[in-house]
PDB file of all heavy atoms in Angstrom:
ATOM      1  N   GLY X  39     -12.455  -0.879  -4.974  1.00 98.00           N
ATOM      2  CA  GLY X  39     -12.381  -2.167  -4.307  1.00 98.00           C
ATOM      3  C   GLY X  39     -11.236  -2.979  -4.875  1.00 98.00           C
ATOM      4  O   GLY X  39     -10.566  -2.552  -5.826  1.00 98.00           O
ATOM      5  N   PRO X  40     -11.001  -4.180  -4.336  1.00 98.00           N
ATOM      6  CA  PRO X  40      -9.848  -4.990  -4.717  1.00 98.00           C
ATOM      7  C   PRO X  40     -10.037  -5.808  -6.000  1.00 98.00           C
ATOM      8  O   PRO X  40     -10.046  -7.036  -5.989  1.00 98.00           O
ATOM      9  CB  PRO X  40      -9.652  -5.894  -3.508  1.00 98.00           C
ATOM     10  CG  PRO X  40     -11.023  -6.071  -2.958  1.00 98.00           C
ATOM     11  CD  PRO X  40     -11.715  -4.756  -3.198  1.00 98.00           C
ATOM     12  N   GLY X  41     -10.208  -5.119  -7.118  1.00 98.00           N
ATOM     13  CA  GLY X  41     -10.342  -5.838  -8.383  1.00 98.00           C
ATOM     14  C   GLY X  41     -10.604  -4.907  -9.546  1.00 98.00           C
ATOM     15  O   GLY X  41     -11.019  -3.757  -9.364  1.00 98.00           O
ATOM     16  N   THR X  42     -10.368  -5.420 -10.754  1.00 98.00           N
ATOM     17  CA  THR X  42     -10.557  -4.618 -11.963  1.00 98.00           C
ATOM     18  C   THR X  42     -12.030  -4.393 -12.276  1.00 98.00           C
ATOM     19  O   THR X  42     -12.362  -3.536 -13.097  1.00 98.00           O
ATOM     20  CB  THR X  42      -9.869  -5.289 -13.168  1.00 98.00           C
ATOM     21  OG1 THR X  42     -10.361  -6.632 -13.298  1.00 98.00           O
ATOM     22  CG2 THR X  42      -8.363  -5.313 -12.991  1.00 98.00           C
ATOM     23  N   GLN X  61      -4.170  -5.242   3.062  1.00 98.00           N
ATOM     24  CA  GLN X  61      -4.203  -5.847   1.736  1.00 98.00           C
ATOM     25  C   GLN X  61      -5.319  -6.873   1.650  1.00 98.00           C
ATOM     26  O   GLN X  61      -5.655  -7.513   2.656  1.00 98.00           O
ATOM     27  CB  GLN X  61      -2.853  -6.505   1.422  1.00 98.00           C
ATOM     28  CG  GLN X  61      -1.718  -5.487   1.316  1.00 98.00           C
ATOM     29  CD  GLN X  61      -0.374  -6.153   1.093  1.00 98.00           C
ATOM     30  OE1 GLN X  61       0.072  -6.915   1.937  1.00 98.00           O
ATOM     31  NE2 GLN X  61       0.249  -5.868  -0.040  1.00 98.00           N
ATOM     32  N   SER X  62      -5.879  -7.024   0.432  1.00 98.00           N
ATOM     33  CA  SER X  62      -6.983  -7.956   0.204  1.00 98.00           C
ATOM     34  C   SER X  62      -6.728  -8.776  -1.055  1.00 98.00           C
ATOM     35  O   SER X  62      -6.153  -8.268  -2.011  1.00 98.00           O
ATOM     36  CB  SER X  62      -8.292  -7.195  -0.024  1.00 98.00           C
ATOM     37  OG  SER X  62      -8.731  -6.578   1.134  1.00 98.00           O
ATOM     38  N   PRO X  63      -7.197 -10.020  -1.074  1.00 98.00           N
ATOM     39  CA  PRO X  63      -7.152 -10.765  -2.327  1.00 98.00           C
ATOM     40  C   PRO X  63      -8.232 -10.236  -3.258  1.00 98.00           C
ATOM     41  O   PRO X  63      -9.270  -9.751  -2.810  1.00 98.00           O
ATOM     42  CB  PRO X  63      -7.446 -12.204  -1.890  1.00 98.00           C
ATOM     43  CG  PRO X  63      -8.226 -12.060  -0.626  1.00 98.00           C
ATOM     44  CD  PRO X  63      -7.753 -10.790   0.026  1.00 98.00           C
ATOM     45  N   GLY X  64      -7.968 -10.316  -4.558  1.00 98.00           N
ATOM     46  CA  GLY X  64      -8.941  -9.839  -5.545  1.00 98.00           C
ATOM     47  C   GLY X  64      -8.570 -10.346  -6.926  1.00 98.00           C
ATOM     48  O   GLY X  64      -7.957 -11.408  -7.063  1.00 98.00           O
ATOM     49  N   THR X  65      -8.912  -9.577  -7.938  1.00 98.00           N
ATOM     50  CA  THR X  65      -8.619  -9.927  -9.320  1.00 98.00           C
ATOM     51  C   THR X  65      -7.114 -10.103  -9.518  1.00 98.00           C
ATOM     52  O   THR X  65      -6.323  -9.299  -9.035  1.00 98.00           O
ATOM     53  CB  THR X  65      -9.108  -8.803 -10.263  1.00 98.00           C
ATOM     54  OG1 THR X  65     -10.478  -8.525 -10.007  1.00 98.00           O
ATOM     55  CG2 THR X  65      -8.931  -9.187 -11.719  1.00 98.00           C
ATOM     56  N   THR X  66      -6.723 -11.136 -10.247  1.00 98.00           N
ATOM     57  CA  THR X  66      -5.315 -11.352 -10.566  1.00 98.00           C
ATOM     58  C   THR X  66      -4.902 -10.411 -11.694  1.00 98.00           C
ATOM     59  O   THR X  66      -5.589 -10.312 -12.713  1.00 98.00           O
ATOM     60  CB  THR X  66      -5.069 -12.821 -10.978  1.00 98.00           C
ATOM     61  OG1 THR X  66      -5.425 -13.653  -9.872  1.00 98.00           O
ATOM     62  CG2 THR X  66      -3.618 -13.058 -11.343  1.00 98.00           C
ATOM     63  N   VAL X  67      -3.783  -9.714 -11.480  1.00 98.00           N
ATOM     64  CA  VAL X  67      -3.280  -8.720 -12.432  1.00 98.00           C
ATOM     65  C   VAL X  67      -1.798  -8.987 -12.676  1.00 98.00           C
ATOM     66  O   VAL X  67      -1.058  -9.337 -11.751  1.00 98.00           O
ATOM     67  CB  VAL X  67      -3.471  -7.287 -11.863  1.00 98.00           C
ATOM     68  CG1 VAL X  67      -2.806  -6.246 -12.730  1.00 98.00           C
ATOM     69  CG2 VAL X  67      -4.945  -6.973 -11.677  1.00 98.00           C
ATOM     70  N   THR X  68      -1.356  -8.794 -13.917  1.00 98.00           N
ATOM     71  CA  THR X  68       0.062  -8.879 -14.245  1.00 98.00           C
ATOM     72  C   THR X  68       0.582  -7.474 -14.479  1.00 98.00           C
ATOM     73  O   THR X  68      -0.012  -6.691 -15.222  1.00 98.00           O
ATOM     74  CB  THR X  68       0.287  -9.745 -15.499  1.00 98.00           C
ATOM     75  OG1 THR X  68      -0.193 -11.065 -15.221  1.00 98.00           O
ATOM     76  CG2 THR X  68       1.765  -9.807 -15.866  1.00 98.00           C
ATOM     77  N   GLY X  69       1.685  -7.145 -13.800  1.00 97.00           N
ATOM     78  CA  GLY X  69       2.280  -5.816 -13.918  1.00 97.00           C
ATOM     79  C   GLY X  69       3.791  -5.907 -13.876  1.00 97.00           C
ATOM     80  O   GLY X  69       4.362  -7.005 -13.961  1.00 97.00           O
ATOM     81  N   TYR X  71       5.825  -5.847 -11.514  1.00 97.00           N
ATOM     82  CA  TYR X  71       6.379  -6.616 -10.401  1.00 97.00           C
ATOM     83  C   TYR X  71       5.771  -8.012 -10.301  1.00 97.00           C
ATOM     84  O   TYR X  71       5.686  -8.592  -9.220  1.00 97.00           O
ATOM     85  CB  TYR X  71       6.236  -5.832  -9.089  1.00 97.00           C
ATOM     86  CG  TYR X  71       6.953  -4.509  -9.165  1.00 97.00           C
ATOM     87  CD1 TYR X  71       6.259  -3.314  -9.087  1.00 97.00           C
ATOM     88  CD2 TYR X  71       8.332  -4.459  -9.356  1.00 97.00           C
ATOM     89  CE1 TYR X  71       6.925  -2.095  -9.188  1.00 97.00           C
ATOM     90  CE2 TYR X  71       9.004  -3.243  -9.467  1.00 97.00           C
ATOM     91  CZ  TYR X  71       8.295  -2.075  -9.386  1.00 97.00           C
ATOM     92  OH  TYR X  71       8.954  -0.874  -9.493  1.00 97.00           O
ATOM     93  N   GLY X  72       5.343  -8.551 -11.446  1.00 97.00           N
ATOM     94  CA  GLY X  72       4.851  -9.920 -11.471  1.00 97.00           C
ATOM     95  C   GLY X  72       3.342 -10.004 -11.597  1.00 97.00           C
ATOM     96  O   GLY X  72       2.662  -9.022 -11.920  1.00 97.00           O
ATOM     97  N   THR X  73       2.841 -11.191 -11.344  1.00 98.00           N
ATOM     98  CA  THR X  73       1.405 -11.460 -11.388  1.00 98.00           C
ATOM     99  C   THR X  73       0.936 -11.683  -9.961  1.00 98.00           C
ATOM    100  O   THR X  73       1.526 -12.460  -9.223  1.00 98.00           O
ATOM    101  CB  THR X  73       1.118 -12.690 -12.261  1.00 98.00           C
ATOM    102  OG1 THR X  73       1.586 -12.432 -13.590  1.00 98.00           O
ATOM    103  CG2 THR X  73      -0.372 -13.006 -12.302  1.00 98.00           C
ATOM    104  N   SER X  74      -0.112 -10.970  -9.573  1.00 98.00           N
ATOM    105  CA  SER X  74      -0.576 -11.036  -8.195  1.00 98.00           C
ATOM    106  C   SER X  74      -2.077 -10.831  -8.116  1.00 98.00           C
ATOM    107  O   SER X  74      -2.661 -10.107  -8.923  1.00 98.00           O
ATOM    108  CB  SER X  74       0.131  -9.940  -7.368  1.00 98.00           C
ATOM    109  OG  SER X  74      -0.333  -9.949  -6.031  1.00 98.00           O
ATOM    110  N   ASN X  75      -2.677 -11.463  -7.108  1.00 98.00           N
ATOM    111  CA  ASN X  75      -4.092 -11.210  -6.810  1.00 98.00           C
ATOM    112  C   ASN X  75      -4.216 -10.344  -5.546  1.00 98.00           C
ATOM    113  O   ASN X  75      -5.299 -10.171  -5.013  1.00 98.00           O
ATOM    114  CB  ASN X  75      -4.872 -12.516  -6.644  1.00 98.00           C
ATOM    115  CG  ASN X  75      -4.553 -13.226  -5.337  1.00 98.00           C
ATOM    116  OD1 ASN X  75      -3.455 -13.099  -4.792  1.00 98.00           O
ATOM    117  ND2 ASN X  75      -5.516 -13.973  -4.828  1.00 98.00           N
ATOM    118  N   ILE X  76      -3.092  -9.789  -5.080  1.00 98.00           N
ATOM    119  CA  ILE X  76      -3.102  -8.936  -3.886  1.00 98.00           C
ATOM    120  C   ILE X  76      -3.409  -7.500  -4.285  1.00 98.00           C
ATOM    121  O   ILE X  76      -2.834  -6.968  -5.236  1.00 98.00           O
ATOM    122  CB  ILE X  76      -1.748  -9.007  -3.145  1.00 98.00           C
ATOM    123  CG1 ILE X  76      -1.471 -10.440  -2.682  1.00 98.00           C
ATOM    124  CG2 ILE X  76      -1.722  -8.035  -1.971  1.00 98.00           C
ATOM    125  CD1 ILE X  76      -0.086 -10.651  -2.106  1.00 98.00           C
ATOM    126  N   TRP X  77      -4.308  -6.877  -3.544  1.00 98.00           N
ATOM    127  CA  TRP X  77      -4.663  -5.472  -3.753  1.00 98.00           C
ATOM    128  C   TRP X  77      -4.349  -4.697  -2.479  1.00 98.00           C
ATOM    129  O   TRP X  77      -4.652  -5.140  -1.379  1.00 98.00           O
ATOM    130  CB  TRP X  77      -6.140  -5.350  -4.122  1.00 98.00           C
ATOM    131  CG  TRP X  77      -6.363  -5.794  -5.538  1.00 98.00           C
ATOM    132  CD1 TRP X  77      -6.364  -7.086  -5.998  1.00 98.00           C
ATOM    133  CD2 TRP X  77      -6.551  -4.959  -6.667  1.00 98.00           C
ATOM    134  NE1 TRP X  77      -6.546  -7.102  -7.354  1.00 98.00           N
ATOM    135  CE2 TRP X  77      -6.674  -5.812  -7.802  1.00 98.00           C
ATOM    136  CE3 TRP X  77      -6.642  -3.585  -6.862  1.00 98.00           C
ATOM    137  CZ2 TRP X  77      -6.873  -5.325  -9.089  1.00 98.00           C
ATOM    138  CZ3 TRP X  77      -6.850  -3.103  -8.139  1.00 98.00           C
ATOM    139  CH2 TRP X  77      -6.961  -3.955  -9.237  1.00 98.00           C
ATOM    140  N   ASP X  78      -3.704  -3.540  -2.667  1.00 98.00           N
ATOM    141  CA  ASP X  78      -3.255  -2.712  -1.554  1.00 98.00           C
ATOM    142  C   ASP X  78      -4.267  -1.617  -1.256  1.00 98.00           C
ATOM    143  O   ASP X  78      -4.646  -0.863  -2.161  1.00 98.00           O
ATOM    144  CB  ASP X  78      -1.907  -2.056  -1.892  1.00 98.00           C
ATOM    145  CG  ASP X  78      -0.842  -3.071  -2.287  1.00 98.00           C
ATOM    146  OD1 ASP X  78      -0.905  -4.217  -1.795  1.00 98.00           O
ATOM    147  OD2 ASP X  78       0.053  -2.721  -3.077  1.00 98.00           O
ATOM    148  N   ASN X  79      -4.693  -1.531  -0.007  1.00 98.00           N
ATOM    149  CA  ASN X  79      -5.585  -0.460   0.425  1.00 98.00           C
ATOM    150  C   ASN X  79      -4.713   0.752   0.762  1.00 98.00           C
ATOM    151  O   ASN X  79      -3.911   0.703   1.683  1.00 98.00           O
ATOM    152  CB  ASN X  79      -6.401  -0.898   1.638  1.00 98.00           C
ATOM    153  CG  ASN X  79      -7.246   0.216   2.187  1.00 98.00           C
ATOM    154  OD1 ASN X  79      -6.859   0.868   3.145  1.00 98.00           O
ATOM    155  ND2 ASN X  79      -8.394   0.436   1.579  1.00 98.00           N
ATOM    156  N   TYR X  85      -8.054   1.220  -3.620  1.00 98.00           N
ATOM    157  CA  TYR X  85      -7.191   0.057  -3.802  1.00 98.00           C
ATOM    158  C   TYR X  85      -6.393   0.162  -5.098  1.00 98.00           C
ATOM    159  O   TYR X  85      -6.898   0.667  -6.096  1.00 98.00           O
ATOM    160  CB  TYR X  85      -8.038  -1.232  -3.869  1.00 98.00           C
ATOM    161  CG  TYR X  85      -8.699  -1.583  -2.571  1.00 98.00           C
ATOM    162  CD1 TYR X  85      -9.903  -0.983  -2.194  1.00 98.00           C
ATOM    163  CD2 TYR X  85      -8.130  -2.519  -1.712  1.00 98.00           C
ATOM    164  CE1 TYR X  85     -10.517  -1.298  -0.996  1.00 98.00           C
ATOM    165  CE2 TYR X  85      -8.743  -2.844  -0.509  1.00 98.00           C
ATOM    166  CZ  TYR X  85      -9.926  -2.233  -0.164  1.00 98.00           C
ATOM    167  OH  TYR X  85     -10.521  -2.542   1.024  1.00 98.00           O
ATOM    168  N   VAL X  86      -5.154  -0.363  -5.068  1.00 98.00           N
ATOM    169  CA  VAL X  86      -4.332  -0.496  -6.263  1.00 98.00           C
ATOM    170  C   VAL X  86      -3.781  -1.918  -6.305  1.00 98.00           C
ATOM    171  O   VAL X  86      -3.592  -2.555  -5.269  1.00 98.00           O
ATOM    172  CB  VAL X  86      -3.160   0.523  -6.309  1.00 98.00           C
ATOM    173  CG1 VAL X  86      -3.687   1.950  -6.405  1.00 98.00           C
ATOM    174  CG2 VAL X  86      -2.232   0.379  -5.122  1.00 98.00           C
ATOM    175  N   SER X  87      -3.518  -2.401  -7.513  1.00 98.00           N
ATOM    176  CA  SER X  87      -2.954  -3.740  -7.653  1.00 98.00           C
ATOM    177  C   SER X  87      -1.518  -3.758  -7.147  1.00 98.00           C
ATOM    178  O   SER X  87      -0.704  -2.903  -7.491  1.00 98.00           O
ATOM    179  CB  SER X  87      -2.971  -4.174  -9.120  1.00 98.00           C
ATOM    180  OG  SER X  87      -2.221  -5.373  -9.270  1.00 98.00           O
ATOM    181  N   ASP X  88      -1.199  -4.763  -6.334  1.00 98.00           N
ATOM    182  CA  ASP X  88       0.146  -4.911  -5.782  1.00 98.00           C
ATOM    183  C   ASP X  88       1.184  -5.216  -6.871  1.00 98.00           C
ATOM    184  O   ASP X  88       2.369  -5.009  -6.659  1.00 98.00           O
ATOM    185  CB  ASP X  88       0.144  -6.025  -4.726  1.00 98.00           C
ATOM    186  CG  ASP X  88       1.390  -6.015  -3.864  1.00 98.00           C
ATOM    187  OD1 ASP X  88       1.609  -5.028  -3.136  1.00 98.00           O
ATOM    188  OD2 ASP X  88       2.167  -6.997  -3.935  1.00 98.00           O
ATOM    189  N   ALA X  89       0.740  -5.662  -8.040  1.00 98.00           N
ATOM    190  CA  ALA X  89       1.648  -5.949  -9.152  1.00 98.00           C
ATOM    191  C   ALA X  89       2.306  -4.678  -9.689  1.00 98.00           C
ATOM    192  O   ALA X  89       3.261  -4.749 -10.453  1.00 98.00           O
ATOM    193  CB  ALA X  89       0.903  -6.667 -10.275  1.00 98.00           C
ATOM    194  N   TYR X  90       1.803  -3.517  -9.290  1.00 98.00           N
ATOM    195  CA  TYR X  90       2.346  -2.232  -9.728  1.00 98.00           C
ATOM    196  C   TYR X  90       3.034  -1.463  -8.603  1.00 98.00           C
ATOM    197  O   TYR X  90       3.425  -0.315  -8.789  1.00 98.00           O
ATOM    198  CB  TYR X  90       1.234  -1.358 -10.317  1.00 98.00           C
ATOM    199  CG  TYR X  90       0.819  -1.832 -11.690  1.00 98.00           C
ATOM    200  CD1 TYR X  90      -0.154  -2.809 -11.840  1.00 98.00           C
ATOM    201  CD2 TYR X  90       1.412  -1.314 -12.832  1.00 98.00           C
ATOM    202  CE1 TYR X  90      -0.533  -3.257 -13.095  1.00 98.00           C
ATOM    203  CE2 TYR X  90       1.048  -1.744 -14.088  1.00 98.00           C
ATOM    204  CZ  TYR X  90       0.076  -2.724 -14.215  1.00 98.00           C
ATOM    205  OH  TYR X  90      -0.281  -3.166 -15.461  1.00 98.00           O
ATOM    206  N   SER X  95       8.344  -7.846  -2.091  1.00 94.00           N
ATOM    207  CA  SER X  95       7.823  -9.160  -1.719  1.00 94.00           C
ATOM    208  C   SER X  95       6.756  -9.595  -2.713  1.00 94.00           C
ATOM    209  O   SER X  95       6.037  -8.767  -3.268  1.00 94.00           O
ATOM    210  CB  SER X  95       7.215  -9.097  -0.320  1.00 94.00           C
ATOM    211  OG  SER X  95       6.559 -10.307  -0.013  1.00 94.00           O
ATOM    212  N   ASP X  96       6.645 -10.914  -2.920  1.00 92.00           N
ATOM    213  CA  ASP X  96       5.562 -11.456  -3.744  1.00 92.00           C
ATOM    214  C   ASP X  96       4.336 -11.772  -2.901  1.00 92.00           C
ATOM    215  O   ASP X  96       3.307 -12.172  -3.431  1.00 92.00           O
ATOM    216  CB  ASP X  96       6.020 -12.733  -4.455  1.00 92.00           C
ATOM    217  CG  ASP X  96       7.008 -12.445  -5.572  1.00 92.00           C
ATOM    218  OD1 ASP X  96       7.044 -11.303  -6.064  1.00 92.00           O
ATOM    219  OD2 ASP X  96       7.767 -13.362  -5.934  1.00 92.00           O
ATOM    220  N   GLY X  97       4.454 -11.596  -1.582  1.00 96.00           N
ATOM    221  CA  GLY X  97       3.351 -11.912  -0.683  1.00 96.00           C
ATOM    222  C   GLY X  97       2.844 -10.668   0.026  1.00 96.00           C
ATOM    223  O   GLY X  97       3.135  -9.536  -0.362  1.00 96.00           O
ATOM    224  N   TYR X  98       2.112 -10.915   1.081  1.00 97.00           N
ATOM    225  CA  TYR X  98       1.536  -9.830   1.862  1.00 97.00           C
ATOM    226  C   TYR X  98       2.624  -9.122   2.684  1.00 97.00           C
ATOM    227  O   TYR X  98       3.484  -9.774   3.265  1.00 97.00           O
ATOM    228  CB  TYR X  98       0.457 -10.373   2.799  1.00 97.00           C
ATOM    229  CG  TYR X  98      -0.816 -10.754   2.083  1.00 97.00           C
ATOM    230  CD1 TYR X  98      -0.957 -12.008   1.486  1.00 97.00           C
ATOM    231  CD2 TYR X  98      -1.865  -9.858   1.971  1.00 97.00           C
ATOM    232  CE1 TYR X  98      -2.113 -12.354   0.811  1.00 97.00           C
ATOM    233  CE2 TYR X  98      -3.030 -10.194   1.296  1.00 97.00           C
ATOM    234  CZ  TYR X  98      -3.154 -11.439   0.721  1.00 97.00           C
ATOM    235  OH  TYR X  98      -4.303 -11.773   0.044  1.00 97.00           O
ATOM    236  N   ARG X 102      -4.250  -8.327   6.467  1.00 97.00           N
ATOM    237  CA  ARG X 102      -5.398  -8.414   5.566  1.00 97.00           C
ATOM    238  C   ARG X 102      -6.474  -7.439   6.009  1.00 97.00           C
ATOM    239  O   ARG X 102      -6.701  -7.251   7.197  1.00 97.00           O
ATOM    240  CB  ARG X 102      -5.977  -9.829   5.568  1.00 97.00           C
ATOM    241  CG  ARG X 102      -5.022 -10.831   4.977  1.00 97.00           C
ATOM    242  CD  ARG X 102      -5.681 -11.598   3.897  1.00 97.00           C
ATOM    243  NE  ARG X 102      -4.772 -12.614   3.386  1.00 97.00           N
ATOM    244  CZ  ARG X 102      -5.175 -13.664   2.723  1.00 97.00           C
ATOM    245  NH1 ARG X 102      -6.464 -13.844   2.505  1.00 97.00           N
ATOM    246  NH2 ARG X 102      -4.315 -14.522   2.252  1.00 97.00           N
TER     247      ARG X 102
END
Side-chain angles (χ1 to χ4, degrees):
T42 55
Q61 295 176 298
S62 290
T65 307
T66 299
V67 173
T68 299
Y71 301 116
T73 300
S74 178
N75 73 332
I76 299 172
W77 285 75
D78 305 330
N79 175 262
Y85 292 82
V86 295
S87 170
D88 194 64
Y90 286 87
S95 173
D96 288 339
Y98 286 85
R102 294 234 183 160

